[in-house]
Amino acid sequence: QVQLAESGGGLVQAGGSLRLSCAASGRTFSRYAMGWFRQAPGKEREFVAAITWRGGSTNYADSVKGRFTISRDNANDTDTIYLQMNSLKYEDTAVYYCAADANIARLRSRPTYWGQGTQVTVSS
């Protein structure tokens, strides 16, 4: 069974930081592009960041560039990605989802695999 499990969400004040983690299990994701999406109340789910399977290339939504950093660890048979979120703003409040796909272009639009999400709440 394929699973993507997010962790690290919580409540933080504006200007603060959080780090999200997503651990993949059930198959080898080391050759999959992985990324993060988010969905705020009353809004559609949106792309946040993505990273290639080797971690050599990343891309970000304009709204988080310079504040968020995506990274991954697929050494030693582990497949985990992280999202370091700094200078958080109220508008970053959302449920954050981890996603994976063999194709990075498809990852940005219709990922094959999704996690269950973790809530991030930024107080103003």
Side-chain angles (χ1 to χ4, degrees):
Q1 183 177 358
V2 173
Q3 285 190 323
L4 297 174
E6 302 97 334
S7 61
L11 174 64
V12 64
Q13 288 188 333
S17 298
L18 279 176
R19 189 175 84 150
L20 306 182
S21 300
C22 172
S25 62
R27 67 173 300 152
T28 300
F29 281 94
S30 61
R31 291 184 178 267
Y32 276 59
M34 297 182 70
W36 293 93
F37 288 72
R38 67 186 182 186
Q39 187 167 20
K43 296 187 177 181
E44 293 187 352
R45 193 174 298 189
E46 64 176 2
F47 169 78
V48 175
I51 189 166
T52 54
W53 69 274
R54 285 183 171 175
S57 179
T58 59
N59 55 81
Y60 299 89
D62 288 344
S63 59
V64 305
K65 280 181 182 176
R67 300 188 298 121
F68 291 11
T69 302
I70 188 171
S71 60
R72 75 185 293 165
D73 178 6
N74 54 15
N76 301 318
D77 294 328
T78 63
D79 292 301
T80 303
I81 65 168
Y82 305 94
L83 187 68
Q84 178 66 43
M85 304 185 294
N86 299 327
S87 302
L88 282 161
K89 304 176 182 180
Y90 175 76
E91 50 265 40
D92 293 319
T93 296
V95 177
Y96 283 71
Y97 296 90
C98 177
D101 200 284
N103 182 293
I104 193 165
R106 189 167 60 223
L107 173 73
R108 291 198 56 160
S109 58
R110 297 174 64 91
T112 301
Y113 300 103
W114 289 98
Q116 292 299 306
T118 184
Q119 176 70 47
V120 171
T121 302
V122 183
S123 61
S124 58

